[in-house]
């Protein structure tokens, strides 16, 4: 273990949220060990403002519950305490321990045949907790009692040398929780760091373990991957490590050798736009992102259905929209509230061609008009298609003119 004393690191309490400090102090005053850990410590050391502050302590969830009135216990796989301060939630976890000692107590720890941990509620001490975290850079502890950083896994050096390294044997750690593969890529892209060789090597051949992950958890992860400001860099790494192919098989099926099909170009474009908007503090819309990414697979499928049957174009497109979203949801479930919007954005693409007069006014007042229009404009640009371009210009003028009315 390495200890970095107060005057040799740059974490200051001024940068830590008041509420996180309150929690840390109350735990400490009540006789428990309390540390800031995870993303909070890592980001402060990198000179960035953390998104949230995670705390770990020797107090059990029940003991934490007794200390804070505004506390709720959550989670099954990991039991955690949430201390709620209005919009800010401070997550407090109890030190996690090793599993070996408690072989058949299923309600505490539970592992599948393939080594996946479904429950991880064995408590331990700080050293054991450090070993159970995912990457070395996520396993640094800032103690509120002495303001020192404790490093049990070489995280400080890896942070300096800009390396994402799993703690322990990579294959075992990925089998315990395959989402760690996605996290490795996410952190590498976000901090522009390298995934160290041993951590990187098993990813392509273990990628299929992600099939075991509940598809709703994969959806949450996919938003963190593509919609947190580093989507384009993350996408490139996901493809390189054969992870994208697992999350979005319908899209990856259309990838080309030269990587320059409309599908590939529109994905790059939309991810770069999303990153730009997030940097500028603008809102992003996940329905729009999925509608764009799945647009060309949809076009292809409509074509195939048209060739095989004598449906009208409208009928084929309804069937195709349904099939594409259904198939996508087999690997990664997009919640209903979002797929409904994806339908709207897609359906409007037809309406842009046919709606004029009164119906055009109706269309621009629909909630998803802007997103649908942005997709139209992207298509026009990607395909360099004259008709689409003049249609985009028409709707652009119409929209501006109607604002002046
Ligand atoms: P972010 O800035 O995205 O919140 P983070 O590192 O804080 O990054 P969290 O998901 O908030 O990520 O998790 C907090 C900490 O919990 C991590 O830093 C890590 O130490 C630990 N952790 C999270 N997920 C896992 C996992 N799947 N396996 C092991 N440890 C994990
Ligand atoms: Mg965090």
């Amino acid at each position: 273990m390495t200890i970095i004393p107060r005057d040799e690191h740059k974490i200051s309490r001024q940068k830590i949220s008041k509420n996180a400090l309150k929690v840390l102090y109350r735990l400490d005053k009540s006789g428990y060990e309390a540390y800031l850990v995870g993303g909070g410590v890592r980001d402060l050391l990198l000179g960035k403002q953390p998104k949230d502050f995670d705390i770990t302590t020797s107090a059990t969830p029940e003991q934490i519950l007794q200390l804070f009135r505004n506390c709720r216990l959550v989670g099954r796989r990991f039991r955690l305490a949430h201390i709620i301060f209005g919009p800010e939630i401070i997550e407090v976890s109890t030190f996690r321990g090793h599993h070996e000692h408690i072989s058949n107590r299923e309600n505490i720890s539970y592992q599948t045949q393939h080594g996946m941990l479904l429950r991880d509620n064995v408590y331990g001490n700080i050293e054991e907790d450090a070993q159970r975290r995912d990457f070395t850079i996520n396993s640094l502890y800032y103690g509120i009692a002495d303001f020192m950083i404790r490093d049990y896994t070489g995280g400080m050096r890896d942070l300096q040398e800009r390396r994402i390294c799993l703690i322990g044997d990579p294959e075992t750690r990925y089998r315990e929780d395959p989402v760690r593969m996605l996290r490795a890529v996410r952190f590498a892209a976000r901090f522009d760091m390298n995934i160290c060789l041993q951590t990187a090597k098993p990813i392509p051949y273990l990628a299929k373990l992600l099939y075991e992950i509940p598809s709703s958890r994969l959806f949450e992860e996919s938003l963190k991957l593509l919609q947190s400001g580093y989507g384009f860099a993350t996408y490139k790494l996901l493809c390189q490590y054969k992870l994208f192919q697992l999350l979005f098989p319908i899209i990856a099926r259309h990838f080309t050798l030269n990587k320059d099909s409309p599908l590939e170009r529109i994905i790059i474009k939309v991810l770069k736009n999303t990153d730009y908007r997030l940097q500028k503090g603008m809102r992003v819309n996940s329905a729009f992102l999925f509608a764009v990414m799945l647009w060309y697979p949809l076009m292809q499928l409509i074509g195939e259905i048209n060739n095989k049957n004598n449906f009208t174009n409208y009928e084929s497109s309804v069937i195709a929209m349904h099939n594409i979203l259904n198939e996508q949801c087999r690997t990664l479930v997009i919640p209903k509230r979002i797929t409904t919007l994806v339908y709207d954005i897609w359906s409007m693409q037809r309406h842009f061609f046919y709606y004029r007069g009164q119906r055009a006014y109706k269309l621009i007042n629909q909630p998803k008009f802007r997103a649908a229009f942005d997709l139209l404009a992207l298509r026009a640009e990607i395909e360099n298609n004259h008709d689409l371009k003049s249609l985009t210009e028409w709707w652009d003028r119409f929209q501006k003119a109607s604002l002046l009315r």
Side-chain angles (χ1 to χ4, degrees):
M1 196 244 309
T2 315
I3 287 192
I4 299 101
R6 179 180 189 173
D7 50 1
E8 285 175 30
H9 65 73
K10 56 178 177 191
I11 294 190
S12 99
R13 272 166 296 163
Q14 272 152 7
K15 293 272 165 56
I16 303 174
S17 106
K18 296 275 164 307
N19 295 324
L21 286 174
K22 254 187 233 168
V23 175
L24 285 165
Y25 282 127
R26 169 108 32 116
L27 287 164
D28 180 64
K29 291 226 174 71
S30 313
Y32 301 109
E33 289 176 65
Y35 300 89
L36 193 66
V37 68
V41 179
R42 177 198 67 214
D43 293 355
L44 288 176
L45 288 171
L46 288 170
K48 301 186 186 239
Q49 184 53 35
K51 273 204 322 267
D52 47 34
F53 292 92
D54 300 308
I55 288 172
T56 185
T57 176
S58 55
T60 63
E62 286 70 25
Q63 288 168 331
I64 302 168
L65 191 61
Q66 296 213 322
L67 284 183
F68 299 93
R69 255 192 326 141
N70 47 339
C71 170
R72 239 184 5 188
L73 299 188
V74 296
R76 224 168 99 85
R77 206 164 55 90
F78 289 113
R79 245 159 88 79
L80 291 172
H82 276 175
I83 323 277
I84 299 148
F85 298 89
E88 189 179 16
I89 296 178
I90 306 291
E91 216 169 78
V92 186
S93 63
T94 307
F95 293 147
R96 252 162 256 292
H98 293 305
H99 289 253
E100 292 83 67
H101 325 301
I102 33 91
S103 50
N104 45 23
R105 288 166 60 190
E106 281 194 3
N107 59 340
I108 298 182
S109 140
Y110 187 71
Q111 216 165 13
T112 66
Q113 265 181 329
H114 307 288
M116 188 156 83
L117 278 176
L118 297 182
R119 220 157 289 165
D120 189 3
N121 286 316
V122 184
Y123 302 131
N125 58 30
I126 180 172
E127 278 193 71
E128 291 167 322
D129 188 87
Q131 304 300 328
R132 298 227 36 84
R133 293 190 175 263
D134 49 5
F135 306 105
T136 59
I137 60 166
N138 285 347
S139 188
L140 294 164
Y141 297 74
Y142 172 81
I144 201 64
D146 52 19
F147 312 122
M148 300 202 280
I149 293 177
R150 286 164 175 72
D151 176 4
Y152 298 87
T153 61
M156 282 305 262
R157 201 189 55 228
D158 289 340
L159 207 56
Q160 270 148 21
E161 294 176 13
R162 311 191 71 75
R163 270 196 307 249
I164 311 287
C165 299
L166 268 173
I167 298 164
D169 170 52
E171 183 157 342
T172 312
R173 301 306 311 280
Y174 288 139
R175 286 186 186 280
E176 283 173 0
D177 183 4
V179 169
R180 288 173 185 150
M181 294 186 266
L182 300 177
R183 289 174 60 88
V185 163
R186 176 154 69 87
F187 293 127
R190 173 154 142 216
F191 302 121
D192 191 19
M193 293 188 185
N194 293 312
I195 304 178
C196 69
L197 201 64
Q198 290 219 20
T199 299
K201 216 170 73 188
I203 297 180
Y205 74 87
L206 292 180
K208 59 181 181 303
L209 293 176
L210 286 169
Y211 285 132
E212 291 186 52
I213 301 296
S215 50
S216 53
R217 187 171 172 214
L218 285 188
F219 171 75
E220 298 296 325
E221 285 301 322
S222 75
L223 290 190
K224 289 190 200 165
L225 288 162
L226 301 177
Q227 275 195 324
S228 352
Y230 304 88
F232 176 56
T234 310
Y235 166 70
K236 282 194 293 188
L237 287 180
L238 284 175
C239 291
Q240 182 188 330
Y241 286 106
K242 305 274 182 280
L243 291 165
F244 189 83
Q245 291 78 336
L246 256 119
L247 299 176
F248 298 98
I250 323 177
I251 297 175
R253 212 179 291 149
H254 300 283
F255 280 171
T256 57
L257 263 174
N258 295 334
K259 300 188 168 59
D260 62 354
S261 62
L263 165 98
E264 284 151 306
R265 284 185 290 123
I266 211 168
I267 291 180
I268 292 173
K269 187 99 204 158
V270 74
L271 290 173
K272 285 186 174 170
N273 288 356
T274 306
D275 292 347
Y276 176 81
R277 291 181 67 92
L278 288 165
Q279 269 167 28
K280 297 274 169 207
M282 297 195 277
R283 279 156 53 104
V284 295
N285 169 342
S286 45
F288 174 66
L289 179 66
F290 289 116
V292 174
M293 297 211 318
L294 294 166
W295 174 256
Y296 288 106
L298 174 72
M299 286 299 99
Q300 172 114 6
L301 186 59
I302 294 176
E304 285 165 18
I305 297 176
N306 271 339
N307 282 341
K308 274 193 232 137
N309 308 278
N310 44 16
F311 295 131
T312 63
N313 201 21
Y314 172 73
E315 288 165 335
S316 306
S317 69
V318 172
I319 298 170
M321 288 195 267
H322 184 80
N323 286 357
I324 288 277
L325 287 174
N326 254 0
E327 201 181 334
Q328 176 56 55
C329 288
R330 262 183 245 150
T331 46
L332 184 154
V333 174
I334 306 173
K336 192 121 204 130
R337 68 192 149 82
I338 294 175
T339 53
T340 322
L341 302 175
V342 174
Y343 270 112
D344 291 348
I345 294 170
W346 284 346
S347 306
M348 273 192 227
Q349 303 302 306
R350 281 172 62 77
H351 302 162
F352 286 135
F353 275 98
Y354 304 119
Y355 282 19
R356 292 294 178 271
Q358 261 329 96
R359 295 174 90 193
Y361 282 106
K362 265 203 187 139
L363 198 62
I364 54 173
N365 287 317
Q366 291 209 6
K368 279 295 142 258
F369 173 81
R370 190 66 222 181
F373 174 81
D374 288 345
L375 171 57
L376 180 71
L378 272 181
R379 291 168 54 207
E381 189 187 332
I382 291 292
E383 292 170 38
N384 200 12
N385 173 319
H386 179 72
D387 293 346
L388 285 178
K389 280 185 180 164
S390 40
L391 198 60
T392 309
E393 280 158 25
W394 189 89
W395 280 97
D396 192 38
R397 278 199 307 272
F398 181 73
Q399 203 189 166
K400 285 178 183 145
S402 75
L403 286 176
L404 296 174
R405 277 209 329 169

